[in-house]
Structures are given as structure tokens and as C-alpha cells.
């Protein structure tokens, strides 16, 4: 029987196992759904299903550099304890090396790729889940390239709670590139320069600032000038090159970068778990329910 995408989807929903594992199970069982479920259970792959609805908002960021290629990734687990587990850390490093070698275009493509003979990245993660006992996910990654005339700036803060990767073009000053990465970790800018801020965003901010000034009772004839001044402050908050450099507040990041003879062409900043809604457990209630046998 031909295995269809719908069959794979249904098996995934029932077991929570990986896409490639579900497809293999259906092929092995000639499309028999119940037999495929048993197949996954026997292989221990459906153990990940029990954890599929859990929230993995802890974890780590990691950077690996190989010559003129670098990868920054975020992998998540449920607890900070597991994020420090040796098995988890080894998996992170293995996946990072694989990403640099294969350069997949997306997380989905990465998960479906073979990290070793007959084992996909998704398989490897499922195997780790079975051993470690927590949900683990590859959330995101970015791969950067440069030339011999450029520099990478890798920086991991608090053991990987925040990871930043910069690319300094036209300068081989790796320390300077790293210093800028440290600044980005601290101040979290959204853009490199004002040129990257869309006209729509600027106009929206201008409207908000105008209303603020009018609500403060400022005379209309000076509101426009005040708004432009405040807009400059806004750019200092969101644009990296307009910010005061954390290592020397008397100097703008733009001036520091220019002193290297290079140009900052890109940066990526990941903070572990940002944007993930974390579940708040009431451990007292959990213990009491267990004591009462619920």
C-alpha cells in the first residue's frame, strides 16, 4: 500500500513520533495504522509522544565556526537542569556540526536530513528524548558565511542563555566583532541602521509621538520639532549603530565599527525561550494531588 502524507499526519497526531519515523513505521506495516502504532512503541519512538504537548522553553544557544562558515542555533528542553545535561550538550554540538556541513534551508529540512547513516536529525532528537526524559526541540538556526577579509563575532552570554553572531565585513578584527556582539546581547537592538527601519514603522512612531506631545499640552507650532527630536531617541533605542557603545558610553557603536575599517553587515541574537509562553506549575498542588492519589 502506498503511504500518503495524510496517513503520516494521522500517525503523528496519534503518537507524536517524528515524521520520518511515522513514514518508516507505515512502510514496515504496509499502511496498517494500528500496527504502525505498535511498531513505534516497540522501537521506543512513541515515548517522545508523551512529551509532545509539554512546553520546552529552557535550553541553550550554541555557536560553531568552521573557517568561513558559522552557525548559531537554539535548542530547547523543558528544564534548565536538562539543558546542562552532558547528553543534551553533546546533541547540540552534533546538530551544530551537521548544520554547518549540510546547510539546510529550514528547520524542517534540517530535521529530515540524515545526521548519520539511516538516522535523521529528528530521529536523533527523539532518541535523546527517550534517554533524557524531556521534550527537546531544534527551534531555530542561522548559518552565516564570510571571506578571509572579514570577521565573525561570536558571543554566548550566561552559558548560552543568549547567543549573538555578528559579521564584520572588510575587517579581520575578531575581538571588535565580538565586542559588538556583546553589546547586542546587552541592549538587544532590532536593526543595524536607520535605513532598515520601514517607512511604515517610522510613520507609526511619528504619529504616536505627535499624540503624546499634543496630550502633554505642547504648542502645535513646536510639536513637529519636538517629535523629530524624540524620533531620534527612538532610533537610538532600536538601531545598533545609533546606540552608545556599552564598553565606552561616550562613543557610538557606529564610530567604534568605523574605527576597525570594516562594516557590520549582519547580526543575529537569540535569547533562550523568548516568545514561548511558559507554563507556570503549582508544585504544591501537584504534590498534594499525588498524595491524595489523584
Amino acid at each position: 500500500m502506498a503511504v500518503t502524507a495524510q496517513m503520516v499526519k494521522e500517525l503523528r497526531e496519534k503518537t507524536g513520533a517524528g515524521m520520518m519515523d511515522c513514514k518508516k513505521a507505515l512502510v514496515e506495516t504496509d499502511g496498517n495504522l494500528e500496527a504502525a502504532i505498535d511498531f513505534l512503541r516497540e522501537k521506543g519512538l512513541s515515548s517522545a509522544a508523551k512529551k509532545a504537548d509539554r512546553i520546552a522553553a529552557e535550553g541553550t544557544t550554541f555557536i560553531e565556526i568552521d573557517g568561513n562558515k558559522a552557525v548559531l542555533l537554539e535548542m530547547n528542553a523543558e528544564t534548565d537542569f536538562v539543558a546542562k545535561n552532558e547528553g543534551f550538550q553533546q546533541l547540540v554540538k552534533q546538530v551544530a556540526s551537521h548544520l554547518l556541513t549540510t546547510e539546510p534551508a529550514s528547520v524542517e529540512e534540517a530535521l529530515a536530513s540524515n545526521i548519520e547513516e539511516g538516522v535523521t536529525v529528528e530521529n536523533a532528537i527523539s532518541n535523546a528524548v527517550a534517554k533524557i526524559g524531556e521534550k527537546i526541540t531544534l527551534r531555530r538556526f542561522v548559518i552565516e558565511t564570510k571571506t578571509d577579509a572579514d570577521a565573525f563575532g561570536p558571543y554566548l552570554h550566561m552559558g548560552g542563555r543568549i547567543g549573538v553572531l555578528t559579521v564584520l565585513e572588510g575587517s579581520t578584527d575578531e575581538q571588535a566583532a565580538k565586542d559588538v556582539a556583546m553589546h547586542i546581547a546587552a541592549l538587544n537592538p532590532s536593526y543595524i541602521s536607520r535605513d532598515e527601519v520601514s517607512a511604515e514603522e517610522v510613520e507609526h512612531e511619528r504619529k504616536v509621538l505627535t499624540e503624546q506631545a499634543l496630550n502633554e499640552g505642547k504648542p502645535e507650532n513646536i510639536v513637529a520639532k519636538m517629535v523629530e527630536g524624540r524620533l531620534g531617541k527612538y532610533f537610538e533605542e532600536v538601531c545598533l549603530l545609533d546606540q552608545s557603545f556599552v564598553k565606552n558610553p561616550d562613543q557610538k557603536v557606529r564610530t567604534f565599527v568605523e574605527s576597525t575599517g570594516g562594516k557590520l553587515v549582519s547580526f543575529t541574537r537569540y535569547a533562550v525561550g523568548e516568545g514561548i509562553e511558559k507554563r507556570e506549575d503549582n508544585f504544591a498542588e501537584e504534590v498534594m494531588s499525588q498524595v491524595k492519589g489523584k
Side-chain angles (χ1 to χ4, degrees):
M1 178 186 292
V3 174
T4 66
Q6 181 58 38
M7 293 165 65
V8 174
K9 180 176 182 292
E10 186 176 355
L11 184 57
R12 287 196 73 184
E13 290 173 349
K14 286 182 176 293
T15 65
M19 178 180 66
M20 299 304 292
D21 291 327
C22 288
K23 184 177 181 180
K24 181 179 179 181
L26 286 164
V27 170
E28 292 288 335
T29 59
D30 198 29
N32 186 306
L33 184 62
E34 295 304 318
I37 292 172
D38 289 339
F39 178 89
L40 290 170
R41 289 183 63 195
E42 291 164 4
K43 296 294 184 180
L45 295 172
S46 65
S47 62
K50 299 175 182 178
K51 301 159 182 80
D53 63 345
R54 297 186 184 176
I55 299 173
E58 297 298 329
T60 191
T61 63
F62 184 75
I63 298 171
E64 181 161 328
I65 298 174
D66 182 12
N68 285 335
K69 290 197 299 183
V71 61
L72 164 64
L73 64 78
E74 178 186 353
M75 285 193 71
N76 299 119
E78 295 177 53
T79 64
D80 184 55
F81 178 78
V82 162
K84 297 175 181 176
N85 176 280
E86 184 178 349
F88 178 82
Q89 293 290 338
Q90 288 177 347
L91 175 66
V92 170
K93 293 175 183 178
Q94 184 184 18
V95 170
S97 296
H98 175 72
L99 294 175
L100 272 185
T101 301
T102 58
E103 298 186 49
S106 65
V107 170
E108 291 73 22
E109 186 178 319
L111 292 173
S113 62
N114 283 343
I115 197 166
E116 55 186 75
E117 186 65 32
V119 179
T120 65
V121 172
E122 191 167 30
N123 294 152
I125 292 175
S126 293
N127 292 337
V129 170
K131 291 178 182 178
I132 295 173
E134 281 193 10
K135 180 178 179 180
I136 297 171
T137 59
L138 171 61
R139 185 184 183 196
R140 51 186 172 171
F141 67 87
V142 62
I143 297 172
E144 294 284 5
T145 60
K146 69 175 185 67
T147 71
D148 290 339
D150 311 324
F152 286 132
Y155 178 66
L156 296 176
H157 183 65
M158 294 177 63
R161 295 295 300 178
I162 297 174
V164 181
L165 178 63
T166 63
V167 180
L168 188 60
E169 188 179 83
S171 172
T172 57
D173 192 336
E174 295 179 354
Q175 185 58 54
K178 183 175 181 179
D179 286 344
V180 174
M182 292 173 64
H183 172 97
I184 293 167
L187 270 68
N188 192 19
S190 301
Y191 308 98
I192 292 178
S193 66
R194 300 186 184 196
D195 296 339
E196 296 181 357
V197 186
S198 69
E200 291 79 10
E201 183 174 343
V202 173
E203 187 56 32
H204 172 76
E205 190 64 23
R206 182 177 280 112
K207 283 184 177 181
V208 171
L209 293 173
T210 298
E211 288 301 316
Q212 284 180 354
L214 291 173
N215 290 335
E216 291 169 2
K218 305 298 183 183
E220 289 191 24
N221 62 331
I222 67 167
V223 164
K225 185 176 181 180
M226 287 183 60
V227 166
E228 291 309 307
R230 292 181 179 182
L231 199 56
K233 293 291 184 182
Y234 172 74
F235 284 128
E236 290 178 4
E237 291 177 6
V238 301
C239 298
L240 170 64
L241 297 181
D242 285 323
Q243 293 178 338
S244 296
F245 190 33
V246 290
K247 295 190 75 172
N248 180 9
D250 294 329
Q251 182 183 46
K252 295 291 186 182
V253 174
R254 175 183 285 102
T255 304
F256 174 74
V257 171
E258 289 173 350
S259 71
T260 70
K263 176 183 178 182
L264 192 75
V265 292
S266 72
F267 76 83
T268 303
R269 180 188 188 274
Y270 290 161
V272 171
E274 62 186 347
I276 299 177
E277 185 176 347
K278 299 183 181 181
R279 180 181 61 229
E280 294 185 5
D281 295 317
N282 188 319
F283 293 106
E285 288 184 4
E286 182 179 333
V287 172
M288 286 303 295
S289 66
Q290 291 177 3
V291 169
K292 295 176 181 178
K294 294 182 179 180

